Amino acid sequence: MTMRTANHLLAITLLAGAAAAAAQDDPAALAEGARCGMCHHPEQAMLGPSWQAIAERYAGDEGAAELLAQRVREGSQGVWGEAMMMPTTEEQLGDAELARVIAWILDR
């Protein structure tokens, strides 16, 4: 392998790592990776409420982030209708990632 080829491979590896790290910091990408988008949409109700409706319901509620984190972790039913929200495990979304996603939703 030539030095030039090795440098190109290193550059590609570094760029791929940077892109993966950026995706881990992007709340929208985190939510999609945890499959939240199967039931939630930014502006329209689907099986679950839209991100916008959640933000509006909990605007000004200082305990909203903690309440939503608990509902995401444990699952819930009857808050927005009869559809059940399945629990989201730490393997799907770590605690710090979950906090970023919830803050992103509430900041809408």
Side-chain angles (χ1 to χ4, degrees):
M1 178 183 320
T2 68
M3 181 62 93
R4 183 176 176 164
T5 302
N7 285 340
H8 282 140
L9 290 174
L10 177 61
I12 290 168
T13 301
L14 291 174
L15 287 172
Q24 289 178 339
D25 290 336
D26 176 23
L30 291 170
E32 280 305 309
R35 305 189 70 166
C36 302
M38 291 184 68
C39 299
H40 300 279
H41 182 272
E43 291 109 21
Q44 299 171 357
M46 292 176 42
L47 185 57
S50 70
W51 302 136
Q52 186 65 42
I54 295 169
E56 289 170 3
R57 178 178 280 191
Y58 295 101
D61 181 342
E62 292 193 22
E66 184 177 306
L67 175 66
L68 293 174
Q70 179 182 0
R71 288 182 180 159
V72 170
R73 283 289 181 237
E74 296 175 4
S76 69
Q77 186 173 15
V79 178
W80 292 87
E82 293 306 311
M84 180 177 181
M85 181 174 75
M86 299 301 293
T88 301
T89 66
E90 285 189 51
E91 289 78 30
Q92 291 172 286
L93 203 57
D95 288 338
E97 295 167 328
L98 176 59
R100 278 198 300 278
V101 170
I102 290 172
W104 170 71
I105 292 167
L106 293 174
D107 285 342
R108 293 184 156 282

